[in-house]
Amino acid sequence: MVSKEQVLEALKSVIDPELHRSIVDLGMVREIQIGGRDVRVTIALTVPNCPLRDQIAADAGKAVDALEPGINVEISLTSMTESERDGLRERLHGRGQSQSNSPAGNLNRVKSVIAVMSGKGGVGKSTIAAMLAVGLRRKGRRVGVLDSDITGPSIPKLLGVREPPTMSPLGIMPPQSSTGIKIMSINLMLEDEEQAVIWRGPMITSAINQFWNDVFWGDLDALVVDMPPGTSDAALTVMQSLPVTGIILVTSPQDLAGMVVRKAAHMAEHLNTPLVGLVENMSYVICPHCGERYTLFGKGDTRAMADAFNTPFLGEIGIDPQMAELGDRGAIEQYDSEDFNALIALGDQLIEKAPAPKATGDH
Ligand code: ADP
């Protein structure tokens, strides 16, 4: 017969996949009952809808099961009380140097932050940011999207996410898309999606800082940032608030690409952040009847600009009604097109080359 002490010892090897600490250290083991060969363990999750609940239960089951042949292990899950959560928050918060009120910043490990920028609105910046996240996720990367386009947030809509973020002792828990992309956007906090957000610089700065420091992103390979349109104040504010690894610029053939690229390059230089690639969206359309490729707006000069600024050209993305339609109904994750290959490959390289991840609270 096993003892409670043995069970507790075994459970010490069960690591919370997001917090990287033992469930015993985190105070998640609520009760151990032993009756003959039956062992019943109750584990209190930090939040009731914890996405990792099945994994934690399975790991705990295995750890106890391995103690002795022939024992019957039953793991039941519950969630922490408000005061247990407060206690955990205090303990976790005490561990780091974060200035924020939540421990998230100390617990987050984000490898690369990729900012997707455009010269003006409507060129498909959000759609491309979403597709970059989708492509990296398909490659098995752990991805988040921070929607910093505060005045026109469209990321939740594109990725079909509606539920508001939940509060946990670890910070604000970002909701996830169907393939597991973590999302944070001001839109998720508004009662009415259509509500226009008219914010001034300092409020944008504080929202972005919160999205970075107080959101529990956990371990991410890439955080894709959908930037406010343009290269002026709002974009600059965001760039200054986040440790951006690289900037990707989206233009359209109608853009005055030369001017846009010059401004973006200037901003990148000013912030000491590399411009890592240029994408031209809405470059062409394929006739649904004859299959011919038309460049409706004439040939853009993005490729030439990329060469002039010594920045990789990540290709032309065609106008595809299917992409717009899937985006409109929150199903952009179902879209696939070779046009995104170079963009996604670049994102992958940025992750590969990134140094060891930093806690967001260290920034
Ligand atoms: P931005 O973020 O630059 O304002 P969005 O990504 O919101 O732009 O795109 C604006 C609109 O254009 C959306 O309705 C989107 O579905 C559509 N769109 C963007 N790129 C394409 C494309 N390549 N093909 C078809 N529709 C597109």
Side-chain angles (χ1 to χ4, degrees):
M1 196 170 118
V2 294
S3 67
K4 280 190 185 183
E5 288 69 32
Q6 281 174 299
V7 173
L8 195 65
E9 198 55 40
L11 290 170
K12 282 189 183 158
S13 68
V14 179
I15 304 296
D16 182 296
E18 285 199 295
L19 296 178
H20 305 292
R21 295 179 75 187
S22 148
I23 59 168
V24 175
D25 287 354
L26 292 167
M28 290 164 65
V29 178
R30 164 92 49 96
E31 201 178 5
I32 299 171
Q33 288 169 303
I34 300 177
R37 307 200 65 71
D38 299 329
V39 180
R40 194 188 154 105
V41 178
T42 308
I43 296 173
L45 301 165
T46 52
V47 276
N49 53 353
C50 170
L52 297 160
R53 51 185 297 141
D54 293 343
Q55 190 184 338
I56 294 172
D59 289 353
K62 259 191 245 156
V64 180
D65 212 34
L67 277 175
E68 207 173 278
I71 53 173
N72 310 311
V73 186
E74 192 190 322
I75 307 289
S76 24
L77 298 175
T78 175
S79 56
M80 287 186 170
T81 62
E82 202 55 53
S83 68
E84 282 173 324
R85 267 197 282 266
D86 285 345
L88 177 59
R89 185 181 297 130
E90 256 168 43
R91 268 189 292 149
L92 292 170
H93 191 50
R95 295 173 64 223
Q97 316 297 321
S98 170
Q99 300 297 306
S100 71
N101 291 322
S102 124
N106 300 322
L107 300 165
N108 292 335
R109 297 281 178 272
V110 179
K111 268 196 107 177
S112 58
V113 179
I114 307 172
V116 180
M117 202 162 96
S118 67
K120 59 173 184 173
V123 300
K125 167 185 55 60
S126 302
T127 310
I128 284 165
M131 280 307 295
L132 172 60
V134 169
L136 290 173
R137 186 74 199 117
R138 274 189 198 135
K139 283 176 174 268
R141 298 298 197 176
R142 295 160 304 178
V143 186
V145 183
L146 191 163
D147 188 357
S148 72
D149 191 351
I150 300 280
T151 51
S154 43
I155 289 293
K157 187 172 177 219
L158 285 164
L159 287 156
V161 172
R162 284 178 164 274
E163 73 258 45
T166 47
M167 281 309 294
S168 88
L170 315 174
I172 304 168
M173 300 299 274
Q176 298 193 13
S177 71
S178 62
T179 64
I181 298 172
K182 296 181 178 175
I183 291 168
M184 196 57 219
S185 168
I186 196 71
N187 233 5
L188 296 170
M189 298 180 158
L190 302 177
E191 272 176 25
D192 172 10
E193 233 183 59
E194 306 294 314
Q195 204 177 327
V197 182
I198 304 166
W199 281 8
R200 292 178 187 282
M203 283 171 78
I204 295 181
T205 312
S206 114
I208 299 303
N209 279 329
Q210 257 209 314
F211 285 0
W212 175 247
N213 272 315
D214 298 347
V215 170
F216 181 62
W217 294 105
D219 287 357
L220 287 186
D221 293 310
L223 181 67
V224 176
V225 182
D226 184 14
M227 296 284 289
T231 44
S232 56
D233 275 7
L236 195 67
T237 303
V238 174
M239 292 289 297
Q240 283 168 334
S241 310
L242 302 171
V244 176
T245 315
I247 303 170
I248 291 171
L249 185 65
V250 181
T251 68
S252 77
Q254 293 160 297
D255 257 356
L256 298 169
M259 190 184 72
V260 174
V261 180
R262 227 183 319 278
K263 276 192 185 173
H266 184 70
M267 186 165 164
E269 198 183 351
H270 174 69
L271 293 163
N272 219 355
T273 308
L275 189 60
V276 289
L278 259 58
V279 187
E280 189 181 273
N281 188 27
M282 307 188 186
S283 304
Y284 67 91
V285 64
I286 304 278
C287 170
H289 302 294
C290 65
E292 187 139 352
R293 179 181 164 126
Y294 292 101
T295 47
L296 283 183
F297 308 112
K299 206 83 194 103
D301 51 2
T302 314
R303 184 187 294 271
M305 277 299 131
D307 289 345
F309 283 88
N310 216 359
T311 303
F313 181 59
L314 303 173
E316 298 172 338
I317 292 167
I319 296 181
D320 185 349
Q322 198 207 355
M323 177 158 84
E325 193 255 324
L326 286 171
D328 273 354
R329 57 184 176 88
I332 198 86
E333 283 170 301
Q334 289 170 28
Y335 186 70
D336 201 3
S337 155
E338 288 185 359
D339 286 356
F340 288 97
N341 288 357
L343 172 73
I344 293 159
L346 174 88
D348 221 33
Q349 273 170 30
L350 291 176
I351 296 170
E352 288 294 324
K353 282 196 288 186
K358 276 205 291 188
T360 59
D362 292 345
H363 179 58

